[in-house]
Amino acid sequence: MNEILTKKILAQGVKEFVIKAPRIARARKAGQFVIVRANETGERIPLTIADADPEAGTITLIFQEVGKTTMLLGTFEEGDSILDVVGPLGKPTHVEKFGTVVCMGGGIGVAPLHPIAKAMKAGGNRVIAIIGARSKDLLIMEDRLKAASHELYVSTDDGTYGVHGFVTDVLQSLIDKGEEINLVVAIGPVPMMAASCKLTKKYNLPTVVSLNPIMVDGTGMCGACRVTVGGKTRFVCVSGPEFDGHQVDFTELVKRQRAYLPQERQSREMFQQQCESHGKQKRTG
């Protein structure tokens, strides 16, 4: 169970697994996620379901190697199995016929954006996708977002591909051209989502963001994923992960995301040292 059927490298440090998970594949809806645990001693982390094939009984998980657990998952190969994959969790994306929906994804945020764009398009909306990355070699899923939308714009921070600038620059250009926008969905790093909401609030454009705070059990019991939305405490795992972006306290969210940086850094460094030591043993053994 939870066998990795295919493994792909999408960009530097970004990997894609298609895993066998038939029950989740049948039940999952756009916007939902799973909690995974790599092995018996591993921590629990949330990963958005980037795609699913109910007939094949598979789900697609995409992750960036930034901490010990994602680095550990990156060492898994086709044929290996992930110990725990629990889900689908969270509330599905609310889909109706809004009109024109702009779906914006920054960095690894393009992965959770993909199923939402597909669902919005299937729901009868005109979907404009804007995806961005720091540079061309870090851009992911361009072809899939192109298929999931009616129009696709690409931006890179360094100008190596597409528009030279941020996804918010592209959105601003659409607004300046008089594009009638009924809803914006923004997913990516917290600063990107905060900047997107600051922009859309100026024009009274309804905006949905998908949050990915520190999360442990995914059932609302531990409270680790709490955020402040509209002045009230919300648990992302059960009330989200999607919220009205204009109501999210992004300043608090940033602080909570950084709460365990020293411990995360130490854990990552210890894992890297173990990998290097293991590699040396292999080379000299």
Side-chain angles (χ1 to χ4, degrees):
M1 204 64 172
N2 307 325
E3 179 186 0
I4 301 169
L5 302 179
T6 64
K7 174 184 179 180
K8 293 179 182 178
I9 299 175
L10 302 185
Q12 182 180 356
V14 180
K15 295 178 179 176
E16 173 186 278
F17 288 165
V18 174
I19 69 171
K20 196 72 175 177
R23 295 178 65 182
I24 298 175
R26 289 193 298 268
R28 148 274 179 200
K29 294 182 179 178
Q32 292 186 296
F33 62 95
V34 292
I35 293 282
V36 304
R37 190 165 64 118
N39 54 31
E40 289 286 355
T41 59
E43 65 176 340
R44 296 159 61 88
I45 64 167
L47 292 176
T48 301
I49 304 170
D51 209 346
D53 186 335
E55 292 185 5
T58 62
I59 62 173
T60 300
L61 303 178
I62 295 174
F63 59 93
Q64 185 172 21
E65 296 175 343
V66 292
K68 176 193 172 183
T69 296
T70 47
M71 291 173 67
L72 173 60
L73 284 172
T75 67
F76 283 32
E77 301 294 345
E78 294 178 0
D80 292 338
S81 293
I82 301 173
L83 179 64
D84 294 329
V85 180
V86 179
L89 300 170
K91 290 184 176 180
T93 301
H94 174 68
V95 178
E96 62 176 81
K97 197 167 183 178
F98 296 101
T100 297
V101 179
V102 174
C103 293
M104 303 170 58
I108 196 68
V110 176
L113 186 75
H114 175 247
I116 296 173
K118 285 179 65 176
M120 288 295 182
K121 187 177 182 181
N125 295 285
R126 174 170 170 256
V127 176
I128 300 175
I130 307 172
I131 61 174
R134 292 197 307 273
S135 62
K136 181 180 180 180
D137 60 344
L138 295 174
L139 191 70
I140 64 171
M141 302 182 75
E142 180 181 359
D143 290 343
R144 280 179 269 189
L145 262 296
K146 185 175 183 179
S149 61
H150 295 90
E151 296 178 37
L152 173 68
Y153 297 88
V154 180
S155 69
T156 50
D157 298 1
D158 61 4
T160 49
Y161 187 62
V163 175
H164 186 182
F166 306 122
V167 290
T168 48
D169 295 324
V170 179
L171 177 60
Q172 181 69 69
S173 69
L174 292 176
I175 294 171
D176 292 343
K177 286 192 299 184
E179 184 73 58
E180 184 176 346
I181 300 170
N182 303 103
L183 177 69
V184 174
V185 180
I187 308 177
V190 174
M192 170 263 177
M193 291 191 289
S196 299
C197 292
K198 183 178 180 181
L199 173 60
T200 58
K201 193 170 185 178
K202 284 169 47 180
Y203 298 96
N204 295 316
L205 297 178
T207 303
V208 172
V209 295
S210 181
L211 306 183
N212 186 23
I214 295 169
M215 194 177 294
V216 181
D217 63 39
T219 65
M221 296 295 290
C222 72
C225 66
R226 65 184 182 274
V227 294
T228 299
V229 182
K232 298 180 180 179
T233 298
R234 294 285 185 264
F235 293 161
V236 171
C237 63
V238 289
S239 297
E242 296 172 16
F243 297 94
D244 178 348
H246 297 159
Q247 299 293 316
V248 174
D249 186 337
F250 286 107
T251 301
E252 178 192 67
L253 178 59
V254 169
K255 291 179 180 178
R256 291 189 57 78
Q257 291 286 67
R258 299 175 61 85
Y260 299 102
L261 278 183
Q263 293 86 348
E264 292 170 357
R265 188 179 299 113
Q266 182 182 36
S267 181
R268 182 174 62 247
E269 290 172 354
M270 289 176 62
F271 179 76
Q272 289 173 323
Q273 291 171 2
Q274 290 171 359
C275 289
E276 291 172 2
S277 175
H278 184 64
K280 290 177 182 178
Q281 290 173 4
K282 275 191 170 183
R283 290 193 294 271
T284 58

